[in-house]
């Protein structure tokens, strides 16, 4: 069974804090991993992706994520969050043999000024 | 950046009626997708489409659903007839290629309310 899980439905941090949003997956074979952000009332916007090479990938607005094959994880991190980072974050996985990205349940990040 | 436009942004209809959701994908993109967002969070894949054909569809893509993209026009999702459980936000997405790591570009969604 192919699954992607985001264990935290809500995360609240203060502006300037660091944050890590967790994503774990259960897939066989080669996969492609992405993170997307959804601001309230908007569509999803691409943040970053991993498909090979350096397991730490950099994205827009200071976000980075680290792929771990041993942990089956692709956690998203930011060293210092801004109030405008408040949004819902989705992890997505696509199997090499698949035709679409499967999304996790999302993590709502609230940044308190 | 590239834009995907969805029309309308909101649609309210009575159960049993037909509804068509319209998507204007990024102009040079070749792969198209519909996702259904439930309760403001869970994004569920419905269907994808390439070269005039459905590539894959999920269990949520019921017999009442259909998609098409006549040449040079919108990529549409039609539901006929609608049911109460079809109430959700529907997102269209497009990508340039079918490569596994290809980035999806999403529209802002159509909020469908079935009464």
């Amino acid at each position: 069974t192919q699954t992607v899980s985001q264990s935290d439905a809500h995360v609240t941090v203060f502006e300037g804090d660091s944050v890590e949003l967790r994503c774990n997956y259960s897939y066989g074979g080669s996969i492609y991993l992405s993170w997307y952000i959804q601001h309230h009332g908007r569509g999803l916007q691409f943040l970053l992706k991993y498909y090979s090479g350096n397991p730490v990938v950099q994205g827009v607005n200071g976000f980075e994520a680290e792929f771990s094959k041993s942990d089956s994880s692709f956690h998203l991190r930011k060293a210092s969050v801004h109030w405008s980072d408040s949004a819902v974050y989705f992890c997505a996985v696509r199997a090499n043999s698949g035709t679409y990205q499967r999304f996790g349940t999302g993590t709502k990040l609230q940044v308190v000024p | 950046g590239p834009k995907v436009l969805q029309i309308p942004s909101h649609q309210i209809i009575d159960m049993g009626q037909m509804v068509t959701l319209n998507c204007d994908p990024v102009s040079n993109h070749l792969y198209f997708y519909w996702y259904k967002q439930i309760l403001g969070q869970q994004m569920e894949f419905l269907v994808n489409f390439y070269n005039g054909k459905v590539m894959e569809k999920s269990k949520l893509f019921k017999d009442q659903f259909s998609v098409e993209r006549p040449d040079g026009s919108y990529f549409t999702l039609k539901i006929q007839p609608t049911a109460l459980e079809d109430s959700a936000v529907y997102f269209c997405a497009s990508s340039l290629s079918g490569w596994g790591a290809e980035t999806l570009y999403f529209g802002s969604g159509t909020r469908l309310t079935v009464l």
Side-chain angles (χ1 to χ4, degrees):
Chain A
T1 303
Q2 298 178 336
T3 63
V4 53
S5 63
Q6 296 179 244
S7 54
D8 299 315
H10 293 87
V11 172
T12 301
V13 296
F14 288 100
E15 197 166 23
D17 284 352
S18 63
V19 71
E20 179 178 85
L21 305 182
R22 293 180 291 187
C23 173
N24 291 90
Y25 60 87
S26 175
Y27 272 73
S30 299
I31 57 171
Y32 306 96
L33 296 149
S34 300
W35 276 96
Y36 290 79
I37 180 174
Q38 183 182 32
H39 287 105
H40 182 68
R42 309 295 297 277
L44 276 67
Q45 290 180 283
F46 171 77
L47 275 181
L48 47 75
K49 64 185 165 189
Y50 171 82
Y51 54 93
S52 69
N54 189 338
V56 179
V57 291
Q58 306 294 324
V60 297
N61 293 335
F63 285 97
E64 69 173 30
E66 184 167 3
F67 167 69
S68 171
K69 188 172 183 178
S70 60
D71 292 340
S72 298
S73 67
F74 188 56
H75 300 331
L76 181 71
R77 301 188 295 246
K78 187 169 182 178
S80 178
V81 295
H82 185 264
W83 64 266
S84 60
D85 294 324
S86 296
V88 180
Y89 291 78
F90 289 93
C91 178
V93 182
R94 176 170 163 175
N96 187 37
S97 59
T99 67
Y100 66 92
Q101 294 185 29
R102 185 190 302 267
F103 287 87
T105 50
T107 297
K108 186 172 185 177
L109 175 65
Q110 182 177 6
V111 181
V112 180
Chain B
K3 297 282 188 187
V4 174
L5 300 177
Q6 288 189 242
I7 303 166
S9 57
H10 292 82
Q11 180 89 52
I12 301 173
I13 59 170
D14 291 323
M15 183 177 62
Q17 284 190 317
M18 180 193 76
V19 68
T20 300
L21 308 183
N22 298 296
C23 171
D24 188 11
V26 178
S27 61
N28 61 338
H29 283 189
L30 300 175
Y31 291 77
F32 313 111
Y33 308 78
W34 283 103
Y35 282 84
K36 179 181 182 180
Q37 187 168 44
I38 306 159
L39 297 177
Q41 287 213 195
Q42 182 68 54
M43 288 285 288
E44 298 281 5
F45 168 77
L46 283 177
V47 66
N48 51 11
F49 191 86
Y50 167 71
N51 197 27
K53 298 174 188 173
V54 170
M55 295 169 58
E56 189 169 356
K57 55 187 179 181
S58 72
K59 292 178 182 177
L60 293 179
F61 195 79
K62 303 177 294 184
D63 291 343
Q64 298 90 326
F65 287 43
S66 62
V67 290
E68 64 176 358
R69 193 192 185 208
D71 289 343
S73 65
Y74 292 141
F75 175 51
T76 63
L77 173 65
K78 183 185 291 186
I79 309 174
Q80 181 179 27
T82 51
L84 294 176
E85 60 265 28
D86 297 331
S87 294
V89 181
Y90 292 83
F91 288 94
C92 172
S94 69
S95 65
L96 180 60
S97 78
W99 177 50
E102 190 65 66
T103 297
L104 294 182
Y105 291 86
F106 283 83
S108 295
T110 294
R111 181 176 295 277
L112 177 64
T113 301
V114 181
L115 303 176

